[in-house]
Amino acid sequence: MMARGTGKGPTEGLYPISTGSAELIQDGSSSDGWLLKINGVQSSHIVLGEPLRLDFEYMRWIVALVEDRFDPERTGRLRVLHQGGGGCSMPRYLAARFPDARQVVVELDAKLADYVREWFDLPKAPLLRIRVGEAREVTESLTPATRDVVIRDVFAGSRTPEPLTTVEFIQASARLLDGSGLFVANIGSAPDHVSARIEAAAIAEAFPHVAIVADHAMLKGRRYGNIVVAASMTPIVASPALRRRLLGGGLPAQVWDDSQTRTWIGATEPLRDPAVPAAAT
């Protein structure tokens, strides 16, 4: 049976949303912990009152990359665009680490956005805005050079929608970054890495500097999981502190530099937007 929002915080149940259903499950290890599933697929984990707790390893890798580029102790108003919202785990984390941050979350599902606001006590605008819309359309509508970080974490089932994986979309995302800004993409990859290499090839064409973070088993093609690709117009130099941080998680990860990443991509051709037929004269 479908549940309805109460306006009093999260309650376990299956909720109707614009794109299907959302299931909210209480974490048995914590009275304040909640797992959010979208159409049966794990989307987010939230612990109320603990915004700095991230239970999904790939999210830890992403924020580690961001903090290695932008020191929370020295960075002022970090400007972040999240392509994909879910339960807003990473926006909550970044709001806690960068109190003056200005974040925009693009969420396709209007009803889910309402529920997440109701359930998880998110920072209010202008600190955190949820903009309902399709990630590509919103990205292409924004003013260039107005973001320090763009995070792509959009899935339909286990795959990122194809229009968000093309060279042209990555180029549109790159135009939003200012100076030494950072683009980070979460890629769901099968052991053969075929689709992951195609996505990474698009990122590597749009940016002169790329890097990969993943665990050893993923990079060796031993399982399905997450590969995080970072990109910038300026070099991505992983500090010793970042390398130690990645190795210290529950799922130790390593970072590959630009040369290693491009070797891994090899001759893989990126996906491009379909050609637009010429107008008849």
Side-chain angles (χ1 to χ4, degrees):
M1 180 180 294
M2 291 287 186
R4 293 184 178 180
T6 64
K8 299 178 181 178
T11 301
E12 274 196 333
L14 192 64
Y15 294 81
I17 58 176
S18 307
T19 57
S21 65
E23 185 176 9
L24 199 58
I25 304 169
Q26 190 162 11
D27 183 347
S29 64
S30 171
S31 60
D32 288 335
W34 298 90
L35 176 66
L36 175 64
K37 289 185 174 182
I38 306 298
N39 295 319
V41 178
Q42 290 189 6
S43 169
S44 306
H45 182 272
I46 296 286
V47 179
L48 298 176
E50 295 185 48
L52 296 180
R53 176 173 165 179
L54 295 173
D55 280 22
F56 290 0
E57 289 290 347
Y58 83 85
M59 291 188 181
R60 296 180 190 175
W61 302 341
I62 290 176
V63 299
L65 285 163
V66 171
E67 291 180 49
D68 200 53
R69 174 62 65 105
F70 300 99
D71 184 348
E73 302 299 322
R74 300 179 181 179
T75 303
R77 185 175 293 179
L78 191 71
R79 302 164 299 172
V80 186
L81 175 69
H82 299 265
Q83 296 163 335
C88 289
S89 302
M90 279 190 288
R92 291 177 78 246
Y93 178 97
L94 293 175
R97 289 294 280 147
F98 299 87
D100 292 328
R102 296 294 186 269
Q103 302 186 75
V104 174
V105 176
V106 184
E107 172 54 57
L108 178 65
D109 195 297
K111 190 60 179 175
L112 178 62
D114 289 341
Y115 281 136
V116 169
R117 277 284 188 199
E118 174 186 317
W119 292 333
F120 299 136
D121 191 28
L122 303 179
K124 306 299 183 184
L127 298 179
L128 176 58
R129 302 179 188 272
I130 298 180
R131 180 166 170 178
V132 175
E134 192 274 324
R136 178 155 186 166
E137 291 180 1
V138 173
T139 296
E140 292 175 343
S141 74
L142 297 175
T143 304
T146 56
R147 299 295 187 274
D148 301 301
V149 180
V150 174
I151 298 173
R152 193 205 72 184
D153 189 17
V154 185
F155 284 84
S158 62
R159 297 288 297 273
T160 298
E162 190 172 284
L164 306 186
T165 66
T166 67
V167 171
E168 291 79 6
F169 173 74
I170 305 301
Q171 289 171 336
S173 299
R175 285 192 289 272
L176 298 182
L177 293 172
D178 188 16
S180 60
L182 191 68
F183 174 81
V184 189
N186 174 34
I187 299 175
S189 178
D192 61 16
H193 294 164
V194 171
S195 62
R197 283 190 172 94
I198 293 172
E199 291 191 48
I203 297 170
E205 180 164 326
F207 287 93
H209 303 281
V210 290
I212 278 179
V213 173
D215 66 274
H216 181 74
M218 269 303 306
L219 294 174
K220 288 295 184 180
R222 295 174 182 167
R223 67 178 183 85
Y224 179 91
N226 300 92
I227 293 176
V228 169
V229 179
S232 181
M233 294 300 176
T234 60
I236 301 174
V237 180
S239 70
L242 173 63
R243 294 183 184 275
R244 289 193 300 270
R245 181 173 177 179
L246 293 173
L247 288 172
L251 185 64
Q254 54 189 288
V255 55
W256 281 358
D257 62 18
D258 184 84
S259 176
Q260 291 171 301
T261 301
R262 292 182 188 275
T263 297
W264 177 77
I265 294 169
T268 302
E269 286 293 322
L271 190 65
R272 302 180 189 279
D273 287 352
V276 178
T281 57

